[in-house]
Structures are given as C-alpha cells and as structure tokens.
Amino acid sequence: MPFQPFLELADTHPALAHSPMLRGLTRTFAYIAENGPIGLTPSGAFKRVFVQWAAEAFDWPGHGPADLYAVNKVLNEWDFFRLAELHDLMLALTIGRHFKGEFRLTPFGKTFVGQPGRLFGLVAPFYLFRVDHARNSRLNEERLLGSWEIFLNVVNVEAEGGITAERLREVLYGPPEPGPRYDRIAGQLYIEVLRPMCWLGLLQIVGEERMASRDNVYAKTPLWHAALRLDTDASLRTIVKH
C-alpha cells in the first residue's frame, strides 16, 4: 500500500496559515483574479513586475524584499527561488499553463480557488514525494539512502524538541568522519528533507535563519500535527505518558 500520511484539512483550518508554499499559491491565485494572467519573459519566467509583487505579498520567512534586494539590484524569477519552485509546481500539477506569453490558471486550477485545504491536499504529497529536491543542487550525484516514510517518522520523534541537520544525519546514518570537512550528507538532508518540509510549513526554523544550514534548529509546526498521521505517533504518546 502506498505511503500516504496526509490527512484532509478543512479550508478554514488555522494550521494552514503556517505554510509559506500554500500562502504563495493562494496569493498568486488572488493576483490573477484581480489583475488577469501573469506576463512571461521570452524564456517562460514570470516577468519582474510580478516577481517584485510576490516578494512583498508572499511574506516568506527569511526571503522578504529586504533579504532579496540585499543581494540583487532587480528581481528576476530565479532570484526569488521559492517563486520559481511554485511556478514549476503549478505547471507540473496542471494548475496553471503558459498560453501566448502569459501564465493562466487552468480550469482544473480554478477549482482550487478559495479552497486552501483541498489545495494543500493536492500539493503536499506531490511536492514531498515526487519532486526531485536535489535537481538544482551540486549534491545531486549521490542520493540519500532512505524513503520519505523513514524520514517523516524519524523527524516526528527527533524534532519534538527541535533538531538540526547534523543531528538528523547522526540518527539516520551515524556520525560523520572526524575532521573539518564539509558534511555532504547533512547538506543533502537540508536540501532534500528539511527545507522542503519548511517550505510546506510542516517544520519551521527556531529563531532567525542562519547562513549555515547546519546551525539551524527545526521544530514541528501546528500544521505537522494537523496534517500528518505517522507510525511513530504512538511512540510520542508513550514518551508523553512517561
């Protein structure tokens, strides 16, 4: 039986507010409803006027206008990588399509307008389980051993009090070899496991996001508890009782 840990959430469920990805999608829908289709560059990227609007409107933790303009004089889609990820996701799910130099919602995509719970139910399993999160990384030559069933169940227990990429690496694969070298596996866990869960809103970074991903501490959000049912939930109940 395929691994499917996600539960259906009502459109009014307050935990949905913890998802930056869902917020970006619903606000993109609202932009199209108010302004019409989004203009595309000749290469098929969103035009700057929308990228600039999205940087303000998405309210993405650690990636607001001040953060983005600190390293870019102007904003193209790729400069706001979270937006580029949403663009690819909407096309892959056939929520939107390119037509005559514009991005438009499809008839299928329009059925999700005003239904954030249903939209999250579509996006979350596809994004976690089917998207190649390492496709734009230098670390994509060797893939992590394991599965999302393992990753989610382990994080469910280990992140109860907060977890780092280094700690998750030790739990799953043992400690790295001694020495000052960069730990590739911890870096992969950040890119392929922890970051996608943060973007979905299942995890959040405790305090301010640090430049070195290994220094960040990740904790479960209310959306994790509302949206997931996992085998290790029973272990957590046992821990609480004791």
Side-chain angles (χ1 to χ4, degrees), residues 15 20 22 29 34 44 70 79 94 127 142 161 169 175 184 192 196 205-206 208 218 238:
L22 183 64
F29 290 3
E34 183 175 344
D79 299 320
T94 66
Y127 183 65
E142 296 183 46
R169 185 250 202 270
R184 178 185 59 81
E192 298 182 43
I205 293 173
V206 178
E208 291 189 8
Y218 302 88
T238 302

Side-chain angles (χ1 to χ4, degrees), residues 16-17 22 49 58 65 91 109 113 127 130 141 145 161 173 176 184:
L16 292 169
L22 183 64
V49 63
F58 283 8
L91 293 175
V113 173
Y127 183 65
R130 296 183 60 184
E141 294 180 1
L145 294 176
Y173 308 109
R184 178 185 59 81

Side-chain angles (χ1 to χ4, degrees), residues 21 85 89 123-131 133 196 199-200:
M21 182 167 280
E85 194 85 340
L89 184 63
V123 168
F126 182 89
Y127 183 65
L128 274 196
F129 305 151
R130 296 183 60 184
V131 169
H133 301 291
W199 289 7
L200 270 179

Side-chain angles (χ1 to χ4, degrees), residues 51-66:
V51 178
Q52 293 165 359
W53 176 89
E56 292 273 0
F58 283 8
D59 191 26
W60 203 295
H63 294 273

Side-chain angles (χ1 to χ4, degrees), residues 148-164 168-169 171-172 189 193-194 197 202-203 218-220 224-225 228 230 232-233 236:
W148 273 106
E149 185 171 5
I150 293 171
F151 298 147
L152 284 169
N153 274 289
V154 169
V155 172
N156 191 34
V157 174
E158 295 295 328
E160 191 68 8
I163 191 171
T164 63
L168 184 58
R169 185 250 202 270
V171 172
L172 289 169
L189 283 169
V193 178
L194 294 169
M197 289 197 284
L202 300 172
L203 295 179
Y218 302 88
K220 294 185 286 188
W224 178 291
H225 300 288
L228 292 171
L230 298 162
T232 48
D233 288 343
L236 292 177

Side-chain angles (χ1 to χ4, degrees), residues 13-220:
H13 200 296
L16 292 169
H18 289 271
S19 175
M21 182 167 280
L22 183 64
R23 184 166 55 250
L25 289 169
T26 56
R27 292 183 181 178
T28 297
F29 290 3
Y31 178 95
I32 293 173
E34 183 175 344
N35 301 283
I38 301 167
L40 300 171
T41 67
S43 65
F46 289 138
K47 286 188 174 180
R48 286 177 183 170
V49 63
F50 178 73
V51 178
Q52 293 165 359
W53 176 89
E56 292 273 0
F58 283 8
D59 191 26
W60 203 295
H63 294 273
D67 306 291
L68 295 170
Y69 281 114
V71 292
N72 301 284
K73 291 184 178 180
V74 296
L75 290 182
N76 296 304
E77 181 181 306
W78 190 252
D79 299 320
F80 189 8
F81 180 60
R82 280 77 178 152
L83 175 60
E85 194 85 340
L86 288 186
H87 190 172
D88 289 345
L89 184 63
M90 288 188 285
L91 293 175
L93 287 169
T94 66
I95 291 172
R97 67 181 181 124
H98 292 180
F99 182 72
K100 294 185 177 180
E102 296 176 328
F103 177 88
R104 301 168 178 260
L105 292 183
T106 63
F108 175 63
K110 291 176 182 178
T111 68
F112 292 91
V113 173
Q115 298 188 32
R118 182 166 162 259
L119 180 60
F120 184 81
L122 172 74
V123 168
F126 182 89
Y127 183 65
L128 274 196
F129 305 151
R130 296 183 60 184
V131 169
D132 178 5
H133 301 291
R135 66 192 185 282
N136 297 311
S137 168
R138 294 174 297 172
L139 304 177
N140 64 356
E141 294 180 1
E142 296 183 46
R143 295 308 170 96
L144 290 170
L145 294 176
S147 67
W148 273 106
E149 185 171 5
I150 293 171
F151 298 147
L152 284 169
N153 274 289
V154 169
V155 172
N156 191 34
V157 174
E158 295 295 328
E160 191 68 8
I163 191 171
T164 63
E166 290 181 338
R167 170 59 183 165
L168 184 58
R169 185 250 202 270
E170 291 179 7
V171 172
L172 289 169
Y173 308 109
E177 295 181 5
R181 294 184 303 170
Y182 173 72
D183 185 1
R184 178 185 59 81
I185 294 178
Q188 284 181 279
L189 283 169
Y190 165 71
I191 291 170
E192 298 182 43
V193 178
L194 294 169
R195 187 173 71 180
M197 289 197 284
C198 284
W199 289 7
L200 270 179
L202 300 172
L203 295 179
Q204 62 187 357
I205 293 173
V206 178
E208 291 189 8
E209 185 172 0
R210 297 163 178 82
M211 288 293 293
S213 60
R214 66 178 180 274
D215 296 330
N216 289 317
V217 177
Y218 302 88
K220 294 185 286 188

